């Protein structure tokens, strides 16, 4: 009886294995039929994630310098929020004056706003700390119920219309190889991803980069993440594909702690009845071995802070629309304070969750 039972269990195990393999084969055939890359695991190439979840603390701070004594200082700081790909816990802050939470209405960005007066030291320092659980994104294989499979009419407007530095049509559209362009949004997004990757190179050695100017990116053919993804978004929207710009910060792949020198950005394009598909074309250019991975996938080595361009803060800033919102926006006596007089202080430390 024992041998018969074991034999029966073995048959069940074999059938289960065969069913799982068939499902995997069907999924692979489906991806290949659209010309899409297959997701790869952490052991199959340098730079690929070794784990799908990362836990860390993130410290966001700044020192506002050379302030006139007695001047009225207003500070808007972007606040990361919980999404389907990250869980955010506010640990605490050290902020002078009274702070409050506000919400930017167009894109739904959260803001920590405070105002105070400069004292005789002529300097104001603040820090905000968060605990983060960040997940790897694999949108080509993971069907996440929380992803927006359809967009509201307002979202259609937000992510299909032009921004000041992200036009519709013109030079970006002229760069798109229209011959044999796929009819579906997923296929077109893949073509644009590769086309921008071929057109641009990651290079910050020359002036002009970092504004996210799609026309400039067309002509210069180099820049940082803002330039890569502004061009991608301009092309996508020109083809009627909703696309959005996301700002945050990168973390090194190696676990530990340290300072973070600056921001990182990436983009999403929308496929109806599927949801938002991420692309990180500048990282793919920096790490060519991950070019297939960064279409539809994101490592957990990042934190997302804000979405959108041409941003109106709450309360409304006195200065012009913000090109994007990742560093603190500061106004002194109703005028924007120069960014070179704001010493930014960002750091992280990985933690273990029991």
């Amino acid at each position: 009886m024992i041998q018969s039972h074991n034999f029966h269990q073995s048959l069940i195990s074999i059938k289960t294995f065969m069913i799982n393999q068939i499902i995997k084969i069907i999924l692979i055939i489906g991806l290949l039929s659209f010309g899409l890359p297959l997701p790869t695991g952490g052991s199959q190439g340098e730079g690929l994630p070794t784990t799908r979840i990362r836990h860390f603390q993130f410290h966001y701070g700044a020192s506002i310098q050379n302030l006139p004594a007695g001047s009225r200082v207003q500070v808007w700081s972007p606040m990361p929020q919980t999404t389907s790909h990250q869980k955010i816990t506010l640990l605490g802050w050290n902020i002078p004056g009274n702070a409050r939470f506000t919400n930017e209405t167009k894109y739904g960005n959260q803001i920590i706003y405070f105002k105070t007066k400069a004292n005789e030291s002529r300097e104001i320092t603040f820090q905000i700390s968060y605990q983060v659980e960040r997940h790897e994104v694999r949108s080509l294989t993971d069907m996440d119920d929380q992803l927006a499979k359809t967009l509201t009419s307002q979202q259609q407007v937000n992510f299909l219309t032009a921004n000041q530095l992200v036009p519709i049509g013109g030079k970006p559209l002229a760069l798109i190889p229209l011959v044999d362009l796929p009819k579906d949004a997923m296929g077109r997004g893949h073509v644009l991803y590769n086309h921008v990757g071929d057109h641009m190179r990651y290079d910050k050695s020359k002036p002009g980069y970092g504004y996210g100017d799609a026309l400039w990116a067309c002509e210069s053919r180099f820049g940082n993440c803002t330039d890569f993804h502004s061009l991608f978004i301009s092309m996508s929207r020109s083809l009627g594909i909703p696309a959005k710009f996301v700002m945050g910060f990168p973390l090194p792949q190696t676990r530990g702690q340290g300072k973070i020198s600056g921001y990182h950005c990436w983009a999403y394009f929308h496929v109806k009845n599927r949801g938002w598909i991420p692309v990180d074309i500048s990282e793919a250019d920096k790490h060519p071995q991950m070019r297939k991975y960064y279409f539809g996938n994101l490592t957990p080595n990042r934190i997302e802070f804000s979405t959108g361009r041409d941003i109106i803060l709450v309360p409304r800033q006195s200065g012009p629309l913000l090109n994007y919102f990742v560093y603190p926006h500061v106004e002194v006596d109703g005028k924007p304070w120069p960014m070179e007089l704001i010493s930014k202080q960002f750091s992280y430390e990985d933690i273990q969750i029991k």
Side-chain angles (χ1 to χ4, degrees), residues 54 251-257 301 348 350:
R54 187 167 184 174
L251 273 68
Q253 183 176 7
T254 303
R255 300 306 193 258
Q257 61 182 9
N301 307 322
Y348 77 99
D350 283 286

Side-chain angles (χ1 to χ4, degrees), residues 76 78 103-111 163-164 245-247 305-327 329 331:
W76 293 258
N103 287 283
E104 175 268 335
T105 57
K106 183 175 182 179
Y107 301 107
N109 294 310
Q110 293 184 344
I111 302 168
N163 298 118
Q164 292 182 10
F245 184 86
V246 173
M247 293 293 293
F305 262 75
S306 65
T307 299
R309 307 287 294 270
D310 303 341
I311 293 175
I312 299 175
L313 301 174
V314 178
R316 180 158 185 160
Q317 71 270 34
S318 299
L321 303 179
L322 296 193
N323 187 15
Y324 44 76
F325 187 35
V326 67
Y327 293 152
H329 178 72
E331 293 188 353

Side-chain angles (χ1 to χ4, degrees), residues 58 60 76-83 86-93 95 99-104 107-113 126 128-132 247-249 303-307 313 325-329:
F58 189 88
Y60 181 108
W76 293 258
S77 171
M79 180 180 179
Q81 52 189 304
T82 294
T83 69
Q86 66 183 26
K87 179 180 178 181
I88 303 294
T89 302
L90 176 62
L91 296 178
W93 62 43
I95 294 177
R100 61 187 174 98
F101 302 105
T102 67
N103 287 283
E104 175 268 335
Y107 301 107
N109 294 310
Q110 293 184 344
I111 302 168
I112 296 178
Y113 169 79
F126 73 93
I128 309 166
S129 296
Y130 304 96
Q131 182 166 306
V132 184
M247 293 293 293
F249 292 91
I303 176 175
E304 179 180 323
F305 262 75
S306 65
T307 299
L313 301 174
F325 187 35
V326 67
Y327 293 152
H329 178 72

Side-chain angles (χ1 to χ4, degrees), residues 59-79:
H59 308 289
Y60 181 108
S63 177
I64 307 163
Q65 302 167 343
N66 294 346
L67 296 165
S71 58
R72 182 172 60 91
V73 182
Q74 296 172 278
V75 179
W76 293 258
S77 171
M79 180 180 179

Side-chain angles (χ1 to χ4, degrees), residues 159-176 192 196 212-218 226-245 267-269 281 309:
F159 301 124
L160 277 173
T161 56
N163 298 118
Q164 292 182 10
L165 297 180
V166 184
I168 303 296
K171 290 183 179 179
L173 180 61
L175 286 177
I176 301 173
L192 298 183
V196 172
D213 186 334
L215 295 180
W216 182 88
C218 284
T226 65
D227 308 303
F228 276 76
H229 296 114
S230 294
L231 180 56
F232 175 85
I233 291 169
S234 179
M235 288 178 168
S236 297
R237 293 176 181 176
S238 296
L239 293 179
I241 303 172
K244 64 180 180 179
F245 184 86
Y268 287 85
F269 69 98
I281 316 173
R309 307 287 294 270

Side-chain angles (χ1 to χ4, degrees), residues 60-348:
Y60 181 108
S63 177
I64 307 163
Q65 302 167 343
N66 294 346
L67 296 165
S71 58
R72 182 172 60 91
V73 182
Q74 296 172 278
V75 179
W76 293 258
S77 171
M79 180 180 179
Q81 52 189 304
T82 294
T83 69
S84 57
H85 306 310
Q86 66 183 26
K87 179 180 178 181
I88 303 294
T89 302
L90 176 62
L91 296 178
W93 62 43
N94 184 3
I95 294 177
N98 295 322
R100 61 187 174 98
F101 302 105
T102 67
N103 287 283
E104 175 268 335
T105 57
K106 183 175 182 179
Y107 301 107
N109 294 310
Q110 293 184 344
I111 302 168
I112 296 178
Y113 169 79
F114 68 91
K115 58 183 179 180
T116 186
K117 284 190 175 182
N119 57 26
E120 294 180 356
S121 70
R122 303 178 60 201
E123 183 175 344
I124 290 175
T125 299
F126 73 93
Q127 179 174 286
I128 309 166
S129 296
Y130 304 96
Q131 182 166 306
V132 184
E133 178 182 294
R134 179 73 195 190
H135 293 245
E136 181 189 17
V137 181
R138 289 189 176 183
S139 64
L140 301 184
T141 55
D142 291 354
M143 298 302 291
D144 192 331
D145 291 336
Q146 298 184 54
L147 294 178
K149 296 181 181 180
T150 58
L151 300 180
T152 66
S153 58
Q154 186 58 53
Q155 288 174 322
Q156 291 277 353
V157 172
N158 291 346
F159 301 124
L160 277 173
T161 56
N163 298 118
Q164 292 182 10
L165 297 180
V166 184
I168 303 296
K171 290 183 179 179
L173 180 61
L175 286 177
I176 301 173
L178 297 178
V179 179
D180 297 327
L181 192 66
K183 295 181 179 181
D184 64 290
M186 184 73 83
R188 290 188 170 200
H190 193 219
V191 169
L192 298 183
Y193 172 84
N194 285 321
H195 194 60
V196 172
D198 291 338
H199 181 80
M200 299 283 292
R201 73 180 189 278
Y202 192 90
D203 184 357
K204 300 195 297 183
S205 65
K206 302 175 184 178
Y209 74 88
Y211 293 98
D213 186 334
L215 295 180
W216 182 88
C218 284
E219 298 174 356
S220 71
R221 305 191 66 167
F222 74 90
N224 75 350
C225 59
T226 65
D227 308 303
F228 276 76
H229 296 114
S230 294
L231 180 56
F232 175 85
I233 291 169
S234 179
M235 288 178 168
S236 297
R237 293 176 181 176
S238 296
L239 293 179
I241 303 172
K244 64 180 180 179
F245 184 86
V246 173
M247 293 293 293
F249 292 91
L251 273 68
Q253 183 176 7
T254 303
R255 300 306 193 258
Q257 61 182 9
K259 296 181 179 180
I260 297 175
S261 60
Y263 65 76
H264 181 54
C265 64
W266 53 100
Y268 287 85
F269 69 98
H270 194 267
V271 176
K272 189 176 180 180
N273 298 322
R274 184 63 184 267
W276 289 106
I277 308 298
V279 295
D280 196 335
I281 316 173
S282 58
E283 282 298 293
D285 186 73
K286 292 162 64 178
H287 306 286
Q289 74 277 14
M290 296 182 68
R291 179 159 176 168
K292 288 185 178 180
Y293 174 88
Y294 276 122
F295 178 81
N297 306 291
L298 297 174
T299 73
N301 307 322
R302 64 188 67 212
I303 176 175
E304 179 180 323
F305 262 75
S306 65
T307 299
R309 307 287 294 270
D310 303 341
I311 293 175
I312 299 175
L313 301 174
V314 178
R316 180 158 185 160
Q317 71 270 34
S318 299
L321 303 179
L322 296 193
N323 187 15
Y324 44 76
F325 187 35
V326 67
Y327 293 152
H329 178 72
V330 179
E331 293 188 353
V332 178
D333 291 332
K335 297 180 180 180
W337 197 241
M339 190 59 68
E340 57 267 24
L341 296 180
I342 304 173
S343 175
K344 299 174 287 294
Q345 301 155 7
F346 311 121
S347 63
Y348 77 99

